[in-house]
Amino acid sequence: MATSTDSDDRNLVQRIDAWLNEDVSPRRALGAYLVLGLYFSFLLLPVIYMVIVTFTTQEFLFSPELVPSPSDFTLRNYEIVLSRGDFRTYFVNSMIVATSTTLLVLTVGVLAGYSMSRFDYPGRNGLLYAFLSTQMLPIVLILIPFYLLMFSLNLVDSLLGLVIAHSVIGIPLGTWLLKGYIDDIPESLDEAAKMDGCSHLSILRRVIVPLSMPGIAVAGFYTFILSWNDYLLVSVLSQTAMTRTLPFGLQLFQAQNTVAWNLLLTAAVITMAPVILLFAVAQRWVVEGLASGGLKGS
């Protein structure tokens, strides 16, 4: 639930501290922090080292030294990558496609999730299971039919075609996530709103959406990553540089027999930066949604 309690307002670190302070001895608490430190070091050190390398010269990358000296640091890699016109185009395309897909999936997902959670109509359960079954099909199986359908609609090599393709993949799981979260909201709140004269759309806007923000954040974050990282659908539906997205941008720094590793790593850091920034902005809602049932479905 999205009720504002004191415990809900605490972040993950504060919750761990509270748990450790409750009934755990200092030795056990130290052991827990040590295990967490080793785990996150193993997980994050390669990423941190990759980021550091992007600020160094290519000579350091191929040197036996593990730690760069102050003279090795430079912003030249970022200047080269950001000066590539195709890379900038791919970045803008990714932002347009991922943002549009997320907005479309959330709009349809909230309406469909509310409908399936609050109304009983023929075929509702069948539609839910049909949504779930689409997640079991590998995307590669639908590539050719999807391409033929987009070709007949004249949407091949267009950003709109990519938005529709990614939305078709994201809407089923987004609807399941949001339905499960809306199910946890007491229907008595709907009844109270009706007594105040609210219509169904007004209840959705004033009651359901505010209380479902953690679930909406989880669905939106999942959809944005799905669209942002997609390579397979873009490789089929995009025909020119004007509609390609950032996963293609990483290929700009690879030749037939050589790879510009410093530039490739820099492009990878720029590619993952928006996702990290998005999570930093929405992490409170995302963590709360994952912890309180946003993934359980119904």
Side-chain angles (χ1 to χ4, degrees):
M1 286 298 298
T3 55
S4 299
T5 63
D6 292 339
S7 59
D8 290 335
D9 291 335
R10 291 178 298 187
N11 59 33
L12 181 60
V13 175
Q14 290 172 325
R15 291 180 184 183
I16 293 175
D17 286 336
W19 173 72
L20 291 175
N21 290 329
E22 283 179 357
D23 55 357
V24 180
S25 66
R27 181 179 297 178
R28 189 176 175 185
L30 181 62
Y33 276 119
L34 182 62
V35 171
L36 289 174
L38 289 175
Y39 171 75
F40 284 111
S41 297
F42 180 79
L43 188 70
L44 295 177
L45 272 181
V47 179
I48 294 173
Y49 192 74
M50 180 181 76
V51 174
I52 293 175
V53 165
T54 62
F55 291 99
T56 62
T57 60
Q58 189 168 4
E59 289 73 18
F60 167 76
L61 187 61
F62 294 103
S63 71
E65 302 294 331
L66 288 178
V67 180
S69 64
S71 61
D72 291 323
F73 284 96
T74 177
L75 295 175
R76 182 60 180 164
N77 294 330
Y78 286 91
E79 293 175 357
I80 296 174
V81 171
L82 294 176
S83 65
R84 294 287 297 264
D86 287 348
F87 188 81
R88 292 200 302 270
T89 300
Y90 296 168
F91 188 92
V92 173
N93 289 344
S94 285
M95 289 299 297
I96 294 173
V97 172
T99 303
S100 302
T101 300
T102 302
L103 293 176
L104 182 58
V105 168
L106 289 182
T107 301
V108 176
V110 168
L111 293 172
Y114 177 65
S115 169
M116 292 178 176
S117 175
R118 291 296 193 262
F119 303 102
D120 189 13
Y121 44 84
R124 185 191 67 167
N125 291 333
L127 185 60
L128 275 172
Y129 288 116
F131 276 178
L132 185 62
S133 65
T134 61
Q135 303 303 303
M136 303 175 186
L137 294 175
I139 295 179
V140 68
L141 289 181
I142 63 173
L143 275 180
I144 301 304
F146 214 90
Y147 174 82
L148 295 176
L149 178 62
M150 288 294 177
F151 184 79
S152 65
L153 297 174
N154 198 26
L155 289 176
V156 173
D157 199 29
S158 70
L159 296 182
L160 178 59
L162 295 178
V163 171
I164 293 175
H166 292 167
S167 298
V168 168
I169 305 299
I171 283 175
L173 186 56
T175 301
W176 262 89
L177 291 173
L178 291 166
K179 177 191 178 299
Y181 207 88
I182 295 173
D183 282 344
D184 280 347
I185 299 176
E187 293 190 31
S188 58
L189 296 178
D190 297 31
E191 298 300 326
K194 286 179 183 176
M195 293 180 66
D196 289 337
C198 291
S199 63
H200 287 300
L201 285 179
S202 184
I203 293 173
L204 181 64
R205 179 171 59 87
R206 297 185 178 184
V207 178
I208 301 299
V209 170
L211 293 178
S212 302
M213 283 308 297
I216 292 174
V218 172
F221 190 65
Y222 158 78
T223 304
F224 189 88
I225 293 178
L226 181 148
S227 178
W228 187 266
N229 293 335
D230 175 64
Y231 180 88
L232 198 55
L233 285 171
V234 176
S235 66
V236 173
L237 298 178
S238 179
Q239 306 290 314
T240 65
M242 296 305 296
T243 57
R244 287 172 181 161
T245 55
L246 272 180
F248 269 90
L250 301 181
Q251 295 182 344
L252 295 173
F253 308 101
Q254 304 175 56
Q256 184 174 4
N257 298 316
T258 61
V259 177
W261 288 107
N262 55 331
L263 302 181
L264 181 60
L265 293 176
T266 303
V269 170
I270 295 174
T271 300
M272 69 181 186
V275 177
I276 296 175
L277 181 62
L278 177 63
F279 181 76
V281 172
Q283 63 92 18
R284 177 177 174 274
W285 286 333
V286 172
V287 172
E288 185 179 338
L290 290 173
S292 59
L295 281 177
K296 71 176 186 179
S298 174

